[in-house]
Amino acid sequence: MFDAKKLLDQFLGSQVPGLGGSVRDRAGDAVQTARNNPLATGAIAAALLGTKTGRGIAGNALAIGGLAAIAGLGYQAYKNYQAGQAPAAPSDAPSANNPVLLPPPVESGFGPASPAGSNEFVLVLIRAMIAAAKADGHIDDAERALIMDKVKAADVSGEAAAFIERELASPTDIDALVAAATTEEQRVELYTASRLTIEPDSRAERGYLDLLAGRLGLADQLVDHIEATVSSAKVTLSQ
C-alpha cells in the first residue's frame, strides 16, 4: 500500500517539485506553471483541486502537511462551534503573512495521532476530495487524461497513480464515503477536505456539499463554522 499522507501532501500542493519560496508563492507559481506548460506542471492541485479555482491556502497551512492542515481547520471549526461562537466573518480572515493554523492537539480526536490519521482514512479523504472536484461534472475522458499527465509530472506513479485514475473514472459512492467516517471528528474532517477542494460557485457543487453535510449528519451551525474557517484560510492567487 502506498503512503496516503504523502499523496495528500502532493494533492494540496505542499510538495511542488522545482518550486521554492513560501507556501503562497509555491501555490501561485503552480498556477502559472500550469498555464505556461499544462502537461508538465508539478502540482496535482493545479490540475484538479484548489488552485484550479485561483485560490490557495494562506499562511503555514500547507507547511505543516496536508493532513495536519485539514485536521487543524476541522478542529478549529469544531472547537468554535462547541464554544457557541458565531462563525467568523470574511473580515476575520487571518493574514497570509501571519500564519495562525496549528496542528490539532493530540487528544482532540483530529489529526495524525487519531483514527482520522490512519492511512485508510487518509485514502477516504483523498476520495472525498476527488469526488468534490467531480461534482460539477466537468471531468470527461479528455480532462481525465490531462489530469493523469499532471499526476505523472508530480512524480506520482505506481499504486498511487492507479488509485487516482480509478477514482477519477468511477462514479462517486457517497454512501461509502459517509460510512467510512465513523466518528464525529472524521465526519468533520471529511467535509472540511471536500470544502477545501472547491469553491462552490455552481449549483452542482453547492448541492453536492449540502448533500454531503446532510448525509454526514453535521449540524447546520457546525457546517457554517467549517465553511467560514475554510474560507478564511484561503487567499486569492494572482491571476
Side-chain angles (χ1 to χ4, degrees), residues 65-80:
L67 177 59
I70 291 171
L73 290 168
Y75 169 72
Q76 185 174 314
Y78 192 62
K79 180 179 68 172
N80 291 342

Side-chain angles (χ1 to χ4, degrees), residues 9-36:
D9 284 341
Q10 291 171 304
F11 255 68
L12 286 173
S14 60
Q15 297 176 0
V16 183
L19 298 179
S22 69
V23 171
R24 186 178 182 182
D25 288 341
R26 290 202 302 272
D29 287 346
V31 173
Q32 193 58 50
T33 301
R35 288 176 178 149
N36 292 343

Side-chain angles (χ1 to χ4, degrees), residues 64-143:
I64 64 175
L67 177 59
I70 291 171
L73 290 168
Y75 169 72
Q76 185 174 314
Y78 192 62
K79 180 179 68 172
N80 291 342
Y81 162 72
Q82 288 191 314
Q85 298 180 15
S91 60
D92 298 330
S95 167
N97 296 320
N98 296 288
V100 295
L101 182 63
L102 297 174
V106 173
E107 69 280 2
S108 68
F110 289 85
S114 72
S118 69
N119 200 69
E120 290 77 11
F121 189 69
V122 175
L123 285 179
V124 173
L125 293 179
I126 296 172
R127 286 191 176 101
M129 296 170 82
I130 294 174
K134 295 191 296 185
D136 64 358
H138 83 281
I139 300 180
D140 55 17
D141 290 343
E143 180 71 10

Side-chain angles (χ1 to χ4, degrees), residues 31 50-57 199 231 234-237 239:
V31 173
T51 56
K52 81 181 176 69
T53 65
R55 293 176 69 81
I57 303 176
E199 288 301 306
S231 293
K234 286 190 174 185
V235 292
T236 301
L237 301 174
Q239 300 298 315

Side-chain angles (χ1 to χ4, degrees), residues 77-218:
Y78 192 62
K79 180 179 68 172
N80 291 342
Y81 162 72
Q82 288 191 314
Q85 298 180 15
S91 60
D92 298 330
S95 167
N97 296 320
N98 296 288
V100 295
L101 182 63
L102 297 174
V106 173
E107 69 280 2
S108 68
F110 289 85
S114 72
S118 69
N119 200 69
E120 290 77 11
F121 189 69
V122 175
L123 285 179
V124 173
L125 293 179
I126 296 172
R127 286 191 176 101
M129 296 170 82
I130 294 174
K134 295 191 296 185
D136 64 358
H138 83 281
I139 300 180
D140 55 17
D141 290 343
E143 180 71 10
R144 203 157 55 235
L146 180 61
I147 290 168
M148 290 312 299
D149 280 336
K150 295 177 182 181
V151 167
K152 293 173 184 176
D155 295 330
V156 178
S157 59
E159 285 186 80
F163 167 80
I164 295 171
E165 192 163 21
R166 283 196 306 272
E167 291 301 313
L168 286 170
S170 302
T172 296
D173 187 348
I174 196 168
D175 290 334
L177 292 176
V178 170
T182 59
T183 68
E184 183 80 348
E185 293 83 5
Q186 287 181 330
R187 290 189 283 272
V188 169
E189 287 193 22
L190 196 151
Y191 185 85
T192 300
S194 301
R195 176 60 180 84
L196 194 60
T197 303
I198 56 175
E199 288 301 306
D201 297 324
S202 71
R203 288 184 179 181
E205 290 170 323
R206 183 70 267 167
Y208 175 78
L209 289 175
D210 289 344
L211 174 63
L212 181 63
R215 294 292 302 277
L216 289 168
L218 300 178

